[in-house]
Amino acid sequence: MNILITGGAGFLGSHLCDALIEKGHDILCVDNFFTGNKSNISHLLTNPNFTLIRHDVTFPLYVEVDQIYNLACPASPIHYQFDPVQTTKTSVHGAINMLGLAKRLKARILQASTSEVYGDPEIHPQTEEYWGRVNPIGIRSCYDEGKRCAETLFFDYWRQHKLEIKVMRIFNTYGPRMHPNDGRVVSNFIVQALNNKPITIYGDGSQTRSFCYVDDLITGMIKLMESHKSITGPINMGNPSEFTMIELAELVIKLTSSRSKLKFKPLPEDDPKQRQPNISLAKSKLNWSPKVSLEEGLNKTIIYFKNLLDK
Ligand code: NAD
Ligand code: UDP
Ligand code: UDP
């Protein structure tokens, strides 16, 4: 199949390119390199089944493909808050353009949505039925509301134009090729620990996240795309093992044999207090569940960052 991946030079997108090339597909990778990096896909540039286009999805795109994975959007708070108007445009105009493309081609389309659509949740763990608690005017809103509006568009194109859609709500995912300076907690802690610098804990560190290793997530994403057309989602994907940021910091210090100490900093505005996916739907509908433990995934990620810092 000919498959379009928007945001294909990013962290998740580049792993998806690898996995789909491995399965024998032809990949068209579209990226404007806002947060993505050519080095994430440089090993694919000479592959005859791989094509790269530098393009911003907020502008129309006329290509011929059989399937579309829409991942284009900065994902880390530092990056999506850098130019918030562009973030909303990427989510909303990007979704409209990719849905328009899918409609013309009658192509199946998957949206990389996010656990952020639940905001700072009142129910725990989060199930797909929960409508969320999102601040519409805060500093995270460009991302959260942009992604919520994209979900709306997907379901309206599905109802109105009978498009085959797949909406995946991705929970915190980590692994090799994360941007070393994008401020996400796993990359921050590992880079700080490897440099024996203070580990920055925001707030008192009691807030929780549930971390999924990238390979598990990509397996789930492809399973969802290839699932029966009656399965539209939204469907949660992530690893339900939940940790406080203090626990994460201590584990990273242990695994890197670091001399780093914890340093407490103010908690950013609207930072969700707890987050854990309920993945019953993914288990029952897709027979998917994550396999890689946090310790195992962190070890692989630490090796990646060690090599990067040694360069
Ligand atoms: P990333 O920042 O590494 O990748 C995003 C990619 O999109 C980058 O390559 C960037 O250059 C590209 N991009 C941004 N704006 C664009 C535009 N207007 N046109 C074309 N390309 C554009 O982030 P990631 O972690 O790989 O996230 C990929 C997707 O998954 C995002 O949509 C994100 O919202 C979603 N997601 C990720 C996580 C996670 O934990 N990693 C969690 C929830 C959702
Ligand atoms: N679009 C695109 N590529 C295509 C078809 C459409 O980028 O191959 C964009 C186009 O810019 C359009 C948007 O998708 O504005 C929505 O398309 P749709 O057909 O739903 O709406 P309309 O063209 O009526 O605005
Ligand atoms: N965090 C932290 N120290 C850091 C970076 C992040 O304590 O150096 C916290 C952050 O406040 C949040 C959690 O770690 O509570 C996850 O942050 P991240 O930006 O990775 O993801 P998100 O908040 O989008 O889930």
Side-chain angles (χ1 to χ4, degrees), residues 10-12 31-32 34-36 56-57 71 90 143 147 173 184:
F11 161 50
L12 295 181
D31 205 295
N32 70 349
F34 175 52
T35 50
D56 183 327
V57 294
L71 273 63
T90 295
Y143 184 73
K147 289 283 188 181
T173 301
R184 282 189 265 191

Side-chain angles (χ1 to χ4, degrees), residues 117-219:
V117 300
Y118 300 121
D120 193 2
E122 301 120 311
I123 71 145
H124 195 72
Q126 293 80 51
T127 58
E128 291 84 353
E129 293 81 46
Y130 177 54
W131 289 356
R133 184 166 72 121
V134 174
N135 176 356
I137 57 166
I139 56 171
R140 292 175 88 106
S141 312
C142 58
Y143 184 73
D144 299 8
E145 296 290 20
K147 289 283 188 181
R148 286 170 69 95
C149 183
E151 287 200 6
T152 307
L153 286 160
F154 268 69
F155 277 86
D156 282 333
Y157 270 77
W158 171 70
R159 276 184 288 263
Q160 202 172 327
H161 299 302
K162 312 287 174 253
L163 239 64
E164 282 190 30
I165 61 156
K166 308 279 175 189
V167 174
M168 173 172 181
R169 290 187 179 149
I170 303 170
F171 284 65
N172 297 63
T173 301
Y174 71 97
R177 300 189 197 150
M178 286 184 96
H179 198 298
N181 304 319
D182 77 1
R184 282 189 265 191
V185 69
V186 174
S187 41
N188 265 13
F189 284 6
I190 292 178
V191 172
Q192 290 163 345
L194 289 174
N195 289 322
N196 293 306
K197 294 262 168 63
I199 305 273
T200 52
I201 306 272
Y202 301 161
D204 63 5
S206 65
Q207 72 270 35
T208 67
R209 295 292 186 272
S210 310
F211 298 101
C212 185
Y213 187 64
V214 59
D215 290 359
D216 280 335
L217 190 94
I218 297 298
T219 305

Side-chain angles (χ1 to χ4, degrees), residues 26-97:
D26 260 37
I27 302 304
L28 178 59
C29 169
V30 164
D31 205 295
N32 70 349
F33 297 111
F34 175 52
T35 50
N37 201 310
K38 266 201 192 137
S39 63
N40 289 340
I41 45 159
S42 54
H43 59 289
L44 295 173
L45 292 174
T46 53
N47 189 315
N49 297 331
F50 183 81
T51 308
L52 172 67
I53 302 181
R54 184 178 195 131
H55 173 82
D56 183 327
V57 294
T58 61
F59 297 100
L61 177 68
Y62 288 83
V63 292
E64 309 302 315
V65 291
D66 306 302
Q67 277 185 350
I68 303 168
Y69 286 84
N70 188 35
L71 273 63
C73 187
S76 83
I78 293 186
H79 285 139
Y80 71 66
Q81 289 164 15
F82 173 73
D83 184 351
V85 173
Q86 173 67 11
T87 300
T88 303
K89 280 188 190 167
T90 295
S91 279
V92 177
H93 292 185
I96 291 174
N97 287 328

